[in-house]
Amino acid sequence: MIIILYIAAFIFAVAVLVLCISLAMTLKALNPTLKSISKTMEGIEGQMQGITRETTLLLEKTNSLAEDVQGKSQQLNSLVGAVKGFGDSVQGLNSTVQAVTSSIENNVAKNSDQIGQVVQWSSALMGIRSKLKEDKQANVVVDEQSTATKSKKPLFKRK
Protein backbone atom coordinates (compact mmCIF):
# COMPACT_ATOMS: atom_id res chain seq x y z
CA MET A 1 0.00 0.00 0.00
CA ILE A 2 2.83 2.33 0.55
CA ILE A 3 4.09 1.45 -2.88
CA ILE A 4 0.76 2.54 -4.31
CA LEU A 5 1.15 5.84 -2.54
CA TYR A 6 4.64 6.24 -4.00
CA ILE A 7 3.39 5.35 -7.45
CA ALA A 8 0.48 7.75 -7.07
CA ALA A 9 2.84 10.50 -5.89
CA PHE A 10 5.16 9.78 -8.82
CA ILE A 11 2.24 9.93 -11.32
CA PHE A 12 1.08 13.14 -9.71
CA ALA A 13 4.59 14.62 -9.98
CA VAL A 14 4.83 13.59 -13.65
CA ALA A 15 1.40 15.09 -14.32
CA VAL A 16 2.40 18.36 -12.65
CA LEU A 17 5.64 18.34 -14.68
CA VAL A 18 3.71 17.77 -17.94
CA LEU A 19 1.29 20.52 -16.95
CA CYS A 20 4.14 22.94 -16.23
CA ILE A 21 5.90 22.09 -19.52
CA SER A 22 2.69 22.60 -21.56
CA LEU A 23 1.96 25.82 -19.69
CA ALA A 24 5.49 27.08 -20.43
CA MET A 25 5.09 26.19 -24.12
CA THR A 26 1.72 27.93 -24.28
CA LEU A 27 3.11 31.07 -22.66
CA LYS A 28 6.12 30.96 -24.97
CA ALA A 29 3.77 30.73 -27.98
CA LEU A 30 1.67 33.65 -26.63
CA ASN A 31 4.76 35.85 -26.14
CA PRO A 32 4.96 37.07 -29.82
CA THR A 33 1.20 37.66 -29.86
CA LEU A 34 1.42 39.71 -26.66
CA LYS A 35 4.35 41.70 -28.09
CA SER A 36 2.31 42.38 -31.26
CA ILE A 37 -0.67 43.47 -29.16
CA SER A 38 1.64 45.74 -27.14
CA LYS A 39 3.00 47.38 -30.32
CA THR A 40 -0.54 47.79 -31.66
CA MET A 41 -1.63 49.42 -28.40
CA GLU A 42 1.34 51.84 -28.58
CA GLY A 43 0.31 52.78 -32.14
CA ILE A 44 -3.30 53.28 -31.03
CA GLU A 45 -2.11 55.43 -28.13
CA GLY A 46 -0.09 57.65 -30.54
CA GLN A 47 -3.07 57.94 -32.86
CA MET A 48 -5.33 58.81 -29.93
CA GLN A 49 -2.94 61.60 -28.93
CA GLY A 50 -3.07 62.94 -32.52
CA ILE A 51 -6.86 62.70 -32.53
CA THR A 52 -6.99 64.49 -29.18
CA ARG A 53 -4.74 67.27 -30.51
CA GLU A 54 -6.82 67.67 -33.68
CA THR A 55 -10.05 67.59 -31.68
CA THR A 56 -8.72 70.35 -29.43
CA LEU A 57 -7.78 72.49 -32.46
CA LEU A 58 -11.17 71.80 -34.02
CA LEU A 59 -12.95 72.84 -30.81
CA GLU A 60 -10.91 76.06 -30.68
CA LYS A 61 -11.80 76.85 -34.30
CA THR A 62 -15.44 76.01 -33.62
CA ASN A 63 -15.48 78.36 -30.62
CA SER A 64 -13.91 81.21 -32.60
CA LEU A 65 -16.36 80.57 -35.45
CA ALA A 66 -19.27 80.58 -32.99
CA GLU A 67 -18.06 83.92 -31.57
CA ASP A 68 -17.75 85.33 -35.11
CA VAL A 69 -21.25 84.12 -35.99
CA GLN A 70 -22.60 85.63 -32.78
CA GLY A 71 -20.95 89.00 -33.56
CA LYS A 72 -22.29 88.98 -37.10
CA SER A 73 -25.71 87.99 -35.80
CA GLN A 74 -25.70 91.03 -33.51
CA GLN A 75 -24.66 93.25 -36.45
CA LEU A 76 -27.43 91.71 -38.52
CA ASN A 77 -29.90 92.40 -35.70
CA SER A 78 -28.89 96.07 -35.69
CA LEU A 79 -29.22 96.16 -39.49
CA VAL A 80 -32.68 94.59 -39.26
CA GLY A 81 -33.60 97.21 -36.64
CA ALA A 82 -32.39 99.99 -38.95
CA VAL A 83 -34.37 98.56 -41.86
CA LYS A 84 -37.43 98.29 -39.62
CA GLY A 85 -36.96 101.93 -38.60
CA PHE A 86 -36.64 102.91 -42.26
CA GLY A 87 -39.83 100.96 -43.04
CA ASP A 88 -41.63 102.70 -40.18
CA SER A 89 -40.43 106.09 -41.50
CA VAL A 90 -41.64 105.28 -45.00
CA GLN A 91 -44.96 104.13 -43.60
CA GLY A 92 -45.28 107.37 -41.60
CA LEU A 93 -44.41 109.40 -44.69
CA ASN A 94 -46.97 107.45 -46.69
CA SER A 95 -49.70 108.08 -44.14
CA THR A 96 -48.76 111.80 -44.03
CA VAL A 97 -48.96 112.02 -47.83
CA GLN A 98 -52.34 110.28 -47.75
CA ALA A 99 -53.59 112.70 -45.09
CA VAL A 100 -52.40 115.72 -47.11
CA THR A 101 -53.97 114.29 -50.29
CA SER A 102 -57.31 113.72 -48.61
CA SER A 103 -57.15 117.21 -47.07
CA ILE A 104 -56.52 118.70 -50.51
CA GLU A 105 -59.37 116.66 -51.97
CA ASN A 106 -61.69 117.89 -49.20
CA ASN A 107 -60.64 121.51 -49.73
CA VAL A 108 -61.08 121.18 -53.50
CA ALA A 109 -64.54 119.71 -52.98
CA LYS A 110 -65.47 122.52 -50.56
CA ASN A 111 -64.06 125.26 -52.79
CA SER A 112 -65.12 123.84 -56.17
CA ASP A 113 -67.53 126.76 -56.76
CA GLN A 114 -64.81 129.29 -56.03
CA ILE A 115 -62.36 127.41 -58.25
CA GLY A 116 -64.91 127.43 -61.05
CA GLN A 117 -65.32 131.19 -60.68
CA VAL A 118 -61.54 131.68 -60.72
CA VAL A 119 -61.33 129.62 -63.90
CA GLN A 120 -64.13 131.68 -65.49
CA TRP A 121 -62.49 134.97 -64.49
CA SER A 122 -59.14 133.71 -65.78
CA SER A 123 -60.70 132.77 -69.10
CA ALA A 124 -62.38 136.15 -69.33
CA LEU A 125 -59.15 137.99 -68.51
CA MET A 126 -57.21 135.92 -71.06
CA GLY A 127 -59.86 136.77 -73.69
CA ILE A 128 -59.63 140.48 -72.85
CA ARG A 129 -55.84 140.35 -72.98
CA SER A 130 -55.81 138.65 -76.35
CA LYS A 131 -58.35 141.19 -77.66
CA LEU A 132 -56.18 144.08 -76.40
CA LYS A 133 -53.15 142.52 -78.02
CA GLU A 134 -54.95 142.21 -81.35
CA ASP A 135 -56.10 145.84 -81.13
CA LYS A 136 -52.59 146.99 -80.27
CA GLN A 137 -51.12 145.15 -83.24
CA ALA A 138 -53.77 146.64 -85.51
CA ASN A 139 -52.88 150.15 -84.23
CA VAL A 140 -49.19 149.56 -84.79
CA VAL A 141 -49.81 148.56 -88.41
CA VAL A 142 -51.99 151.64 -88.98
CA ASP A 143 -49.38 153.91 -87.31
CA GLU A 144 -46.58 152.52 -89.44
CA GLN A 145 -48.55 153.26 -92.60
CA SER A 146 -49.32 156.78 -91.46
CA THR A 147 -45.68 157.47 -90.42
CA ALA A 148 -44.49 156.41 -93.79
CA THR A 149 -46.50 159.30 -95.27
CA LYS A 150 -45.90 161.83 -92.42
CA SER A 151 -42.33 160.84 -91.47
CA LYS A 152 -43.10 161.16 -87.79
CA LYS A 153 -42.01 158.74 -85.13
CA PRO A 154 -44.47 155.92 -84.50
CA LEU A 155 -46.50 155.96 -81.34
CA PHE A 156 -45.74 152.33 -80.57
CA LYS A 157 -42.52 150.49 -81.08
CA ARG A 158 -42.58 146.96 -82.29
CA LYS A 159 -40.64 144.51 -80.33
Side-chain angles (χ1 to χ4, degrees):
M1 191 143 160
I2 289 205
I3 295 184
I4 294 180
L5 280 173
Y6 286 126
I7 294 176
F10 179 73
I11 292 175
F12 179 74
V14 171
V16 168
L17 181 65
V18 169
L19 181 65
C20 285
I21 290 173
S22 62
L23 187 61
M25 288 174 58
T26 303
L27 288 176
K28 195 168 191 176
L30 280 177
N31 193 21
T33 305
L34 289 175
K35 284 182 182 179
S36 174
I37 290 173
S38 175
K39 287 180 184 177
T40 303
M41 291 301 287
E42 288 173 4
I44 289 174
E45 184 179 338
Q47 289 177 355
M48 288 300 289
Q49 288 175 354
I51 289 172
T52 302
R53 220 174 305 122
E54 289 179 17
T55 303
T56 303
L57 291 174
L58 185 62
L59 281 173
E60 289 173 1
K61 287 180 182 178
T62 302
N63 287 339
S64 69
L65 185 62
E67 290 174 3
D68 187 42
V69 166
Q70 185 177 10
K72 289 182 179 176
S73 173
Q74 289 175 350
Q75 290 175 351
L76 186 61
N77 286 343
S78 64
L79 178 65
V80 167
V83 169
K84 183 181 182 295
F86 180 73
D88 292 343
S89 297
V90 168
Q91 187 177 9
L93 178 64
N94 191 19
S95 63
T96 302
V97 167
Q98 287 176 349
V100 168
T101 302
S102 49
S103 171
I104 289 171
E105 287 175 354
N106 289 339
N107 285 339
V108 166
K110 288 179 184 176
N111 299 327
S112 62
D113 293 337
Q114 292 175 351
I115 292 172
Q117 287 176 353
V118 166
V119 169
Q120 287 175 350
W121 280 104
S122 298
S123 297
L125 287 176
M126 293 299 284
I128 292 171
R129 181 175 174 248
S130 65
K131 195 75 155 159
L132 286 175
K133 201 173 195 181
E134 288 174 7
D135 289 346
K136 188 176 184 181
Q137 285 178 351
N139 285 339
V140 168
V141 170
V142 170
D143 284 343
E144 285 179 358
Q145 290 173 353
S146 66
T147 56
T149 57
K150 292 183 180 180
S151 72
K152 283 187 174 179
K153 291 185 180 177
L155 294 175
F156 298 106
K157 289 185 182 178
R158 274 180 57 183
K159 292 184 180 180

mmCIF file of all heavy atoms in Angstrom, residues 102-139:
data_model
loop_
_atom_site.group_PDB
_atom_site.id
_atom_site.type_symbol
_atom_site.label_atom_id
_atom_site.label_comp_id
_atom_site.label_asym_id
_atom_site.label_seq_id
_atom_site.Cartn_x
_atom_site.Cartn_y
_atom_site.Cartn_z
ATOM 1 N N SER A 102 -55.881 113.673 -48.940
ATOM 2 C CA SER A 102 -57.313 113.716 -48.613
ATOM 3 C C SER A 102 -57.723 115.113 -48.152
ATOM 4 O O SER A 102 -58.837 115.563 -48.454
ATOM 5 C CB SER A 102 -57.694 112.654 -47.592
ATOM 6 O OG SER A 102 -56.857 112.652 -46.501
ATOM 7 N N SER A 103 -56.839 115.839 -47.467
ATOM 8 C CA SER A 103 -57.148 117.210 -47.068
ATOM 9 C C SER A 103 -57.310 118.098 -48.298
ATOM 10 O O SER A 103 -58.237 118.917 -48.362
ATOM 11 C CB SER A 103 -56.033 117.750 -46.171
ATOM 12 O OG SER A 103 -56.209 119.122 -45.942
ATOM 13 N N ILE A 104 -56.414 117.922 -49.274
ATOM 14 C CA ILE A 104 -56.518 118.703 -50.508
ATOM 15 C C ILE A 104 -57.809 118.357 -51.240
ATOM 16 O O ILE A 104 -58.515 119.244 -51.735
ATOM 17 C CB ILE A 104 -55.285 118.464 -51.408
ATOM 18 C CG1 ILE A 104 -54.064 119.118 -50.776
ATOM 19 C CG2 ILE A 104 -55.506 119.000 -52.816
ATOM 20 C CD1 ILE A 104 -52.760 118.777 -51.456
ATOM 21 N N GLU A 105 -58.126 117.075 -51.304
ATOM 22 C CA GLU A 105 -59.368 116.663 -51.967
ATOM 23 C C GLU A 105 -60.586 117.283 -51.280
ATOM 24 O O GLU A 105 -61.515 117.754 -51.941
ATOM 25 C CB GLU A 105 -59.483 115.133 -51.966
ATOM 26 C CG GLU A 105 -58.548 114.447 -52.918
ATOM 27 C CD GLU A 105 -58.597 112.938 -52.806
ATOM 28 O OE1 GLU A 105 -59.295 112.418 -51.891
ATOM 29 O OE2 GLU A 105 -57.942 112.265 -53.609
ATOM 30 N N ASN A 106 -60.567 117.291 -49.941
ATOM 31 C CA ASN A 106 -61.693 117.893 -49.200
ATOM 32 C C ASN A 106 -61.791 119.387 -49.477
ATOM 33 O O ASN A 106 -62.888 119.914 -49.672
ATOM 34 C CB ASN A 106 -61.539 117.633 -47.698
ATOM 35 C CG ASN A 106 -61.771 116.187 -47.338
ATOM 36 O OD1 ASN A 106 -62.404 115.443 -48.080
ATOM 37 N ND2 ASN A 106 -61.245 115.772 -46.202
ATOM 38 N N ASN A 107 -60.634 120.069 -49.481
ATOM 39 C CA ASN A 107 -60.641 121.509 -49.730
ATOM 40 C C ASN A 107 -61.091 121.808 -51.157
ATOM 41 O O ASN A 107 -61.812 122.782 -51.392
ATOM 42 C CB ASN A 107 -59.253 122.110 -49.482
ATOM 43 C CG ASN A 107 -58.956 122.214 -48.002
ATOM 44 O OD1 ASN A 107 -59.862 122.224 -47.174
ATOM 45 N ND2 ASN A 107 -57.676 122.262 -47.658
ATOM 46 N N VAL A 108 -60.654 120.977 -52.109
ATOM 47 C CA VAL A 108 -61.079 121.185 -53.500
ATOM 48 C C VAL A 108 -62.582 120.975 -53.610
ATOM 49 O O VAL A 108 -63.287 121.738 -54.280
ATOM 50 C CB VAL A 108 -60.299 120.241 -54.452
ATOM 51 C CG1 VAL A 108 -60.945 120.185 -55.823
ATOM 52 C CG2 VAL A 108 -58.852 120.689 -54.568
ATOM 53 N N ALA A 109 -63.093 119.953 -52.933
ATOM 54 C CA ALA A 109 -64.539 119.706 -52.982
ATOM 55 C C ALA A 109 -65.305 120.871 -52.350
ATOM 56 O O ALA A 109 -66.351 121.288 -52.861
ATOM 57 C CB ALA A 109 -64.866 118.396 -52.271
ATOM 58 N N LYS A 110 -64.792 121.399 -51.240
ATOM 59 C CA LYS A 110 -65.469 122.518 -50.561
ATOM 60 C C LYS A 110 -65.394 123.789 -51.407
ATOM 61 O O LYS A 110 -66.338 124.580 -51.421
ATOM 62 C CB LYS A 110 -64.820 122.784 -49.203
ATOM 63 C CG LYS A 110 -65.113 121.731 -48.168
ATOM 64 C CD LYS A 110 -64.404 122.053 -46.853
ATOM 65 C CE LYS A 110 -64.597 120.971 -45.818
ATOM 66 N NZ LYS A 110 -63.842 121.219 -44.596
ATOM 67 N N ASN A 111 -64.291 124.001 -52.073
ATOM 68 C CA ASN A 111 -64.063 125.256 -52.790
ATOM 69 C C ASN A 111 -64.256 125.090 -54.295
ATOM 70 O O ASN A 111 -63.752 125.900 -55.075
ATOM 71 C CB ASN A 111 -62.648 125.772 -52.506
ATOM 72 C CG ASN A 111 -62.433 126.047 -51.033
ATOM 73 O OD1 ASN A 111 -63.364 126.440 -50.342
ATOM 74 N ND2 ASN A 111 -61.217 125.839 -50.555
ATOM 75 N N SER A 112 -64.967 124.070 -54.725
ATOM 76 C CA SER A 112 -65.119 123.838 -56.166
ATOM 77 C C SER A 112 -65.853 124.998 -56.848
ATOM 78 O O SER A 112 -65.526 125.358 -57.982
ATOM 79 C CB SER A 112 -65.834 122.512 -56.422
ATOM 80 O OG SER A 112 -67.144 122.540 -55.880
ATOM 81 N N ASP A 113 -66.823 125.608 -56.167
ATOM 82 C CA ASP A 113 -67.532 126.757 -56.755
ATOM 83 C C ASP A 113 -66.574 127.932 -56.948
ATOM 84 O O ASP A 113 -66.573 128.582 -57.998
ATOM 85 C CB ASP A 113 -68.702 127.184 -55.863
ATOM 86 C CG ASP A 113 -69.807 126.137 -55.809
ATOM 87 O OD1 ASP A 113 -69.887 125.325 -56.763
ATOM 88 O OD2 ASP A 113 -70.573 126.130 -54.825
ATOM 89 N N GLN A 114 -65.760 128.179 -55.927
ATOM 90 C CA GLN A 114 -64.807 129.290 -56.025
ATOM 91 C C GLN A 114 -63.764 129.008 -57.111
ATOM 92 O O GLN A 114 -63.372 129.919 -57.847
ATOM 93 C CB GLN A 114 -64.106 129.498 -54.677
ATOM 94 C CG GLN A 114 -65.033 130.017 -53.599
ATOM 95 C CD GLN A 114 -64.339 130.098 -52.235
ATOM 96 O OE1 GLN A 114 -63.228 129.625 -52.074
ATOM 97 N NE2 GLN A 114 -65.028 130.699 -51.262
ATOM 98 N N ILE A 115 -63.341 127.760 -57.216
ATOM 99 C CA ILE A 115 -62.357 127.408 -58.253
ATOM 100 C C ILE A 115 -62.972 127.601 -59.633
ATOM 101 O O ILE A 115 -62.322 128.112 -60.550
ATOM 102 C CB ILE A 115 -61.861 125.959 -58.049
ATOM 103 C CG1 ILE A 115 -61.022 125.869 -56.769
ATOM 104 C CG2 ILE A 115 -61.043 125.476 -59.238
ATOM 105 C CD1 ILE A 115 -60.639 124.465 -56.362
ATOM 106 N N GLY A 116 -64.218 127.212 -59.777
ATOM 107 C CA GLY A 116 -64.912 127.425 -61.047
ATOM 108 C C GLY A 116 -64.969 128.899 -61.400
ATOM 109 O O GLY A 116 -64.769 129.289 -62.564
ATOM 110 N N GLN A 117 -65.262 129.752 -60.421
ATOM 111 C CA GLN A 117 -65.323 131.189 -60.678
ATOM 112 C C GLN A 117 -63.945 131.732 -61.073
ATOM 113 O O GLN A 117 -63.832 132.566 -61.974
ATOM 114 C CB GLN A 117 -65.834 131.928 -59.433
ATOM 115 C CG GLN A 117 -67.314 131.725 -59.173
ATOM 116 C CD GLN A 117 -67.767 132.404 -57.878
ATOM 117 O OE1 GLN A 117 -66.955 132.917 -57.126
ATOM 118 N NE2 GLN A 117 -69.085 132.396 -57.655
ATOM 119 N N VAL A 118 -62.894 131.239 -60.385
ATOM 120 C CA VAL A 118 -61.543 131.683 -60.719
ATOM 121 C C VAL A 118 -61.208 131.292 -62.146
ATOM 122 O O VAL A 118 -60.619 132.072 -62.907
ATOM 123 C CB VAL A 118 -60.519 131.097 -59.715
ATOM 124 C CG1 VAL A 118 -59.095 131.260 -60.218
ATOM 125 C CG2 VAL A 118 -60.670 131.744 -58.348
ATOM 126 N N VAL A 119 -61.590 130.073 -62.532
ATOM 127 C CA VAL A 119 -61.329 129.618 -63.904
ATOM 128 C C VAL A 119 -62.090 130.493 -64.895
ATOM 129 O O VAL A 119 -61.548 130.895 -65.936
ATOM 130 C CB VAL A 119 -61.694 128.116 -64.060
ATOM 131 C CG1 VAL A 119 -61.699 127.696 -65.520
ATOM 132 C CG2 VAL A 119 -60.742 127.240 -63.242
ATOM 133 N N GLN A 120 -63.343 130.830 -64.590
ATOM 134 C CA GLN A 120 -64.127 131.682 -65.493
ATOM 135 C C GLN A 120 -63.497 133.067 -65.607
ATOM 136 O O GLN A 120 -63.377 133.620 -66.705
ATOM 137 C CB GLN A 120 -65.581 131.794 -64.999
ATOM 138 C CG GLN A 120 -66.384 130.533 -65.202
ATOM 139 C CD GLN A 120 -67.786 130.637 -64.597
ATOM 140 O OE1 GLN A 120 -68.093 131.574 -63.870
ATOM 141 N NE2 GLN A 120 -68.614 129.644 -64.905
ATOM 142 N N TRP A 121 -63.102 133.643 -64.468
ATOM 143 C CA TRP A 121 -62.487 134.967 -64.492
ATOM 144 C C TRP A 121 -61.163 134.923 -65.259
ATOM 145 O O TRP A 121 -60.835 135.842 -66.015
ATOM 146 C CB TRP A 121 -62.248 135.492 -63.074
ATOM 147 C CG TRP A 121 -63.479 136.072 -62.434
ATOM 148 C CD1 TRP A 121 -64.262 135.515 -61.492
ATOM 149 C CD2 TRP A 121 -64.051 137.333 -62.737
ATOM 150 N NE1 TRP A 121 -65.295 136.339 -61.162
ATOM 151 C CE2 TRP A 121 -65.198 137.496 -61.934
ATOM 152 C CE3 TRP A 121 -63.743 138.374 -63.607
ATOM 153 C CZ2 TRP A 121 -66.002 138.605 -61.970
ATOM 154 C CZ3 TRP A 121 -64.547 139.496 -63.624
ATOM 155 C CH2 TRP A 121 -65.661 139.596 -62.825
ATOM 156 N N SER A 122 -60.418 133.841 -65.070
ATOM 157 C CA SER A 122 -59.137 133.708 -65.785
ATOM 158 C C SER A 122 -59.379 133.637 -67.270
ATOM 159 O O SER A 122 -58.672 134.277 -68.061
ATOM 160 C CB SER A 122 -58.402 132.440 -65.341
ATOM 161 O OG SER A 122 -58.084 132.490 -63.986
ATOM 162 N N SER A 123 -60.378 132.881 -67.681
ATOM 163 C CA SER A 123 -60.698 132.774 -69.105
ATOM 164 C C SER A 123 -61.126 134.129 -69.658
ATOM 165 O O SER A 123 -60.714 134.521 -70.769
ATOM 166 C CB SER A 123 -61.815 131.755 -69.328
ATOM 167 O OG SER A 123 -61.398 130.480 -68.940
ATOM 168 N N ALA A 124 -61.928 134.835 -68.875
ATOM 169 C CA ALA A 124 -62.385 136.149 -69.326
ATOM 170 C C ALA A 124 -61.201 137.101 -69.451
ATOM 171 O O ALA A 124 -61.085 137.845 -70.449
ATOM 172 C CB ALA A 124 -63.424 136.699 -68.350
ATOM 173 N N LEU A 125 -60.317 137.110 -68.463
ATOM 174 C CA LEU A 125 -59.146 137.991 -68.515
ATOM 175 C C LEU A 125 -58.231 137.628 -69.680
ATOM 176 O O LEU A 125 -57.678 138.513 -70.347
ATOM 177 C CB LEU A 125 -58.368 137.919 -67.197
ATOM 178 C CG LEU A 125 -59.023 138.617 -65.997
ATOM 179 C CD1 LEU A 125 -58.211 138.384 -64.726
ATOM 180 C CD2 LEU A 125 -59.145 140.113 -66.269
ATOM 181 N N MET A 126 -58.043 136.344 -69.941
ATOM 182 C CA MET A 126 -57.210 135.916 -71.062
ATOM 183 C C MET A 126 -57.837 136.378 -72.380
ATOM 184 O O MET A 126 -57.133 136.800 -73.301
ATOM 185 C CB MET A 126 -57.033 134.390 -71.058
ATOM 186 C CG MET A 126 -56.221 133.872 -69.887
ATOM 187 S SD MET A 126 -54.565 134.508 -69.872
ATOM 188 C CE MET A 126 -53.847 133.521 -71.142
ATOM 189 N N GLY A 127 -59.173 136.289 -72.468
ATOM 190 C CA GLY A 127 -59.862 136.772 -73.686
ATOM 191 C C GLY A 127 -59.666 138.268 -73.871
ATOM 192 O O GLY A 127 -59.394 138.748 -74.977
ATOM 193 N N ILE A 128 -59.809 139.023 -72.786
ATOM 194 C CA ILE A 128 -59.630 140.479 -72.854
ATOM 195 C C ILE A 128 -58.189 140.798 -73.248
ATOM 196 O O ILE A 128 -57.944 141.670 -74.090
ATOM 197 C CB ILE A 128 -60.006 141.141 -71.504
ATOM 198 C CG1 ILE A 128 -61.516 141.009 -71.261
ATOM 199 C CG2 ILE A 128 -59.560 142.584 -71.468
ATOM 200 C CD1 ILE A 128 -61.946 141.431 -69.875
ATOM 201 N N ARG A 129 -57.257 140.115 -72.693
ATOM 202 C CA ARG A 129 -55.837 140.353 -72.985
ATOM 203 C C ARG A 129 -55.544 140.085 -74.454
ATOM 204 O O ARG A 129 -54.864 140.867 -75.119
ATOM 205 C CB ARG A 129 -54.961 139.461 -72.097
ATOM 206 C CG ARG A 129 -53.492 139.669 -72.321
ATOM 207 C CD ARG A 129 -52.678 138.841 -71.323
ATOM 208 N NE ARG A 129 -51.288 138.945 -71.636
ATOM 209 C CZ ARG A 129 -50.524 137.972 -72.098
ATOM 210 N NH1 ARG A 129 -51.057 136.776 -72.285
ATOM 211 N NH2 ARG A 129 -49.258 138.166 -72.357
ATOM 212 N N SER A 130 -56.055 138.952 -74.934
ATOM 213 C CA SER A 130 -55.806 138.646 -76.353
ATOM 214 C C SER A 130 -56.479 139.682 -77.260
ATOM 215 O O SER A 130 -55.939 140.060 -78.309
ATOM 216 C CB SER A 130 -56.268 137.240 -76.696
ATOM 217 O OG SER A 130 -57.658 137.124 -76.571
ATOM 218 N N LYS A 131 -57.640 140.162 -76.878
ATOM 219 C CA LYS A 131 -58.347 141.190 -77.659
ATOM 220 C C LYS A 131 -57.524 142.477 -77.667
ATOM 221 O O LYS A 131 -57.375 143.120 -78.721
ATOM 222 C CB LYS A 131 -59.728 141.422 -77.024
ATOM 223 C CG LYS A 131 -60.669 142.151 -77.887
ATOM 224 C CD LYS A 131 -61.168 141.215 -78.956
ATOM 225 C CE LYS A 131 -62.509 141.715 -79.415
ATOM 226 N NZ LYS A 131 -62.836 141.202 -80.714
ATOM 227 N N LEU A 132 -57.003 142.871 -76.476
ATOM 228 C CA LEU A 132 -56.182 144.078 -76.403
ATOM 229 C C LEU A 132 -54.924 143.921 -77.245
ATOM 230 O O LEU A 132 -54.479 144.875 -77.911
ATOM 231 C CB LEU A 132 -55.803 144.371 -74.952
ATOM 232 C CG LEU A 132 -56.923 144.922 -74.060
ATOM 233 C CD1 LEU A 132 -56.427 145.053 -72.625
ATOM 234 C CD2 LEU A 132 -57.397 146.271 -74.582
ATOM 235 N N LYS A 133 -54.351 142.771 -77.248
ATOM 236 C CA LYS A 133 -53.145 142.518 -78.021
ATOM 237 C C LYS A 133 -53.440 142.658 -79.514
ATOM 238 O O LYS A 133 -52.656 143.241 -80.269
ATOM 239 C CB LYS A 133 -52.625 141.129 -77.689
ATOM 240 C CG LYS A 133 -51.191 140.906 -77.992
ATOM 241 C CD LYS A 133 -50.764 139.546 -77.462
ATOM 242 C CE LYS A 133 -49.279 139.444 -77.420
ATOM 243 N NZ LYS A 133 -48.824 138.167 -76.949
ATOM 244 N N GLU A 134 -54.567 142.106 -79.937
ATOM 245 C CA GLU A 134 -54.946 142.210 -81.349
ATOM 246 C C GLU A 134 -55.165 143.677 -81.729
ATOM 247 O O GLU A 134 -54.728 144.133 -82.798
ATOM 248 C CB GLU A 134 -56.216 141.396 -81.625
ATOM 249 C CG GLU A 134 -56.020 139.906 -81.598
ATOM 250 C CD GLU A 134 -57.333 139.147 -81.721
ATOM 251 O OE1 GLU A 134 -58.396 139.769 -81.967
ATOM 252 O OE2 GLU A 134 -57.292 137.915 -81.550
ATOM 253 N N ASP A 135 -55.860 144.420 -80.853
ATOM 254 C CA ASP A 135 -56.097 145.840 -81.130
ATOM 255 C C ASP A 135 -54.785 146.606 -81.193
ATOM 256 O O ASP A 135 -54.593 147.474 -82.052
ATOM 257 C CB ASP A 135 -57.000 146.462 -80.051
ATOM 258 C CG ASP A 135 -58.449 145.985 -80.148
ATOM 259 O OD1 ASP A 135 -58.804 145.390 -81.182
ATOM 260 O OD2 ASP A 135 -59.203 146.190 -79.166
ATOM 261 N N LYS A 136 -53.875 146.325 -80.323
ATOM 262 C CA LYS A 136 -52.587 146.994 -80.268
ATOM 263 C C LYS A 136 -51.809 146.724 -81.545
ATOM 264 O O LYS A 136 -51.212 147.633 -82.123
ATOM 265 C CB LYS A 136 -51.813 146.503 -79.041
ATOM 266 C CG LYS A 136 -50.553 147.238 -78.773
ATOM 267 C CD LYS A 136 -49.941 146.708 -77.479
ATOM 268 C CE LYS A 136 -48.716 147.462 -77.090
ATOM 269 N NZ LYS A 136 -48.133 146.942 -75.873
ATOM 270 N N GLN A 137 -51.835 145.494 -82.010
ATOM 271 C CA GLN A 137 -51.116 145.152 -83.238
ATOM 272 C C GLN A 137 -51.768 145.858 -84.435
ATOM 273 O O GLN A 137 -51.091 146.308 -85.346
ATOM 274 C CB GLN A 137 -51.098 143.636 -83.447
ATOM 275 C CG GLN A 137 -50.136 142.923 -82.533
ATOM 276 C CD GLN A 137 -50.162 141.414 -82.727
ATOM 277 O OE1 GLN A 137 -51.020 140.903 -83.426
ATOM 278 N NE2 GLN A 137 -49.220 140.751 -82.082
ATOM 279 N N ALA A 138 -53.083 145.947 -84.416
ATOM 280 C CA ALA A 138 -53.768 146.643 -85.514
ATOM 281 C C ALA A 138 -53.374 148.117 -85.515
ATOM 282 O O ALA A 138 -53.173 148.716 -86.576
ATOM 283 C CB ALA A 138 -55.276 146.481 -85.379
ATOM 284 N N ASN A 139 -53.276 148.753 -84.337
ATOM 285 C CA ASN A 139 -52.875 150.153 -84.231
ATOM 286 C C ASN A 139 -51.449 150.357 -84.700
ATOM 287 O O ASN A 139 -51.115 151.365 -85.320
ATOM 288 C CB ASN A 139 -53.028 150.659 -82.796
ATOM 289 C CG ASN A 139 -54.471 150.918 -82.418
ATOM 290 O OD1 ASN A 139 -55.320 151.107 -83.300
ATOM 291 N ND2 ASN A 139 -54.751 150.954 -81.134
#
